[in-house]
Amino acid sequence: MRIVHLFLRISLAFAMCAVINVAARADALHVVASIQPVHSLVAGVMDGVGEPTLLIQGGASPHTYALKPSEAAALQQADVVFWIGEALETFLAKPLRSLSRRAAIVTLADADGVDLVEAGSGDHAAHDHADGGHDHADGGHDMHIWLDPTNAEAMVRRIVDALSLADPAAAPQFRANGAALQRRLAGLDAALFKALTPLQGRPYIVLHDAYRYLERRYGLTQAGAITVSPERRPSARKLTEIRAALADTRASCVFAEPQFEPALAHTVIEGSDARIGVLDPLGSALPPGPDAYFGLMHNLAAALADCLAPHR
């Protein structure tokens, strides 16, 4: 009889554990991140607690994206949504307004410590933006804020605060993960300085004006952007100006992006000695997760070094 009672108590204990585990899964925080760099930082903060959902996967561009039904459903279930802001992920603005009553919407461009760069500012040649204003800019600011690791540090602090508020029980883990991420970001910054400092003073052309944060942080020399909006073909006048900038500055490289056809880059370098490289500001070929942000930043540095380094 004692054995039967012992067996019943053990069975009851296992059953209670199963109920607790199911309840924990049911109460798990549902977190959504808009783009790969944001998702990576959020995933790093949530490591060991949960996994955020990434909306834009693969090579899709946030500038022209349309939500799929499954992604819209993920948004409807979200407790917290992280994005850069309406000027970058324009497609999310309307869906997020409908979620604002039940979900925390965290705009990382507004995070304390994020140092914004003005769109269209600076001394870059051929940056008169003759085709109109800058897309994905908010109040005249460039929104590719993650391309400066010091901004990523500020984003991590905001992510930790938002997740800790949404799930106080997991706050100690979020804070510990955030501190580890800050140390890792400081190491990344040092590595990028080492890799990119030798490239200072070597001009290049980009497909669209997305790299101001990287250029400001590491002293790089952009000589012009082919288009202010990667979804629109630049005017004949703009192409003429960019080809002139290529010749005047003796830029050695024109960078395309994997999300867009490279035909424009080939048009610009025609008749010159310039080479074509590829910059991916989203890390679209990388597997999502805590390492993706670091991978995309290292890949940008490697692509710049490979194309701008002197070739025999």
Side-chain angles (χ1 to χ4, degrees), residues 35-309:
I35 58 175
Q36 172 95 300
V38 171
H39 177 270
S40 181
L41 296 175
V42 175
V45 174
M46 293 185 69
D47 190 33
V49 179
E51 296 182 5
T53 297
L54 172 61
L55 281 185
I56 302 179
Q57 302 193 32
S61 168
H63 311 312
T64 57
Y65 200 72
L67 279 177
K68 300 173 183 176
S70 60
E71 295 160 346
L75 275 179
Q76 290 298 322
Q77 297 172 5
D79 300 305
V80 187
V81 179
F82 293 97
W83 68 331
I84 298 297
E86 182 173 353
L88 186 83
E89 307 101 318
T90 306
F91 74 97
L92 270 181
K94 186 175 180 179
L96 291 187
R97 279 194 289 270
S98 68
L99 285 180
S100 59
R101 291 185 179 181
R102 68 165 303 274
I105 312 301
V106 184
T107 303
L108 292 173
D110 296 337
D112 288 343
V114 168
D115 188 7
L116 297 175
V117 169
E118 290 185 8
S121 65
D123 299 323
H124 301 158
H127 270 190
D128 60 356
H129 297 285
D131 294 328
H134 196 286
D135 69 330
H136 40 269
D138 180 19
H141 293 118
D142 182 354
M143 298 301 283
H144 302 83
I145 60 173
W146 65 91
L147 295 181
D148 181 338
T150 62
N151 277 348
E153 292 178 14
M155 293 163 66
V156 167
R157 290 192 293 270
R158 183 69 183 92
I159 292 165
V160 169
D161 289 345
L163 291 176
S164 297
L165 184 64
D167 187 358
Q173 185 66 57
F174 294 146
R175 287 194 292 269
N177 289 344
L181 261 180
Q182 300 287 14
R183 292 190 293 271
R184 193 176 178 190
L185 286 167
L188 170 69
D189 191 33
L192 292 176
F193 267 115
K194 183 177 181 180
L196 295 176
T197 297
L199 306 181
Q200 292 175 355
R202 299 181 186 178
Y204 57 89
I205 304 288
V206 295
L207 173 66
H208 85 294
D209 197 9
Y211 304 96
R212 289 182 178 271
Y213 292 95
L214 191 74
E215 292 154 3
R216 177 187 66 175
R217 182 66 179 166
Y218 303 108
L220 301 177
T221 307
Q222 184 194 135
I226 297 174
T227 175
V228 296
S229 176
E231 297 80 26
R232 298 196 304 267
R233 184 175 179 84
S235 66
R237 175 187 171 188
K238 184 66 175 180
L239 284 175
T240 299
E241 290 173 351
I242 290 295
R243 287 175 61 85
L246 181 68
D248 292 344
T249 63
R250 298 183 180 179
S252 61
C253 197
V254 175
F255 288 100
E257 295 180 17
Q259 292 87 1
F260 305 100
E261 290 295 326
L264 285 175
H266 286 282
T267 298
V268 168
I269 70 167
E270 186 176 356
S272 75
D273 295 327
R275 298 178 293 275
I276 289 182
V278 177
L279 295 177
D280 183 1
L282 293 173
S284 57
L286 297 169
D291 293 332
Y293 175 78
F294 298 89
L296 83 86
M297 295 298 288
H298 282 299
N299 286 350
L300 286 174
L304 285 161
D306 182 63
C307 199
L308 293 175

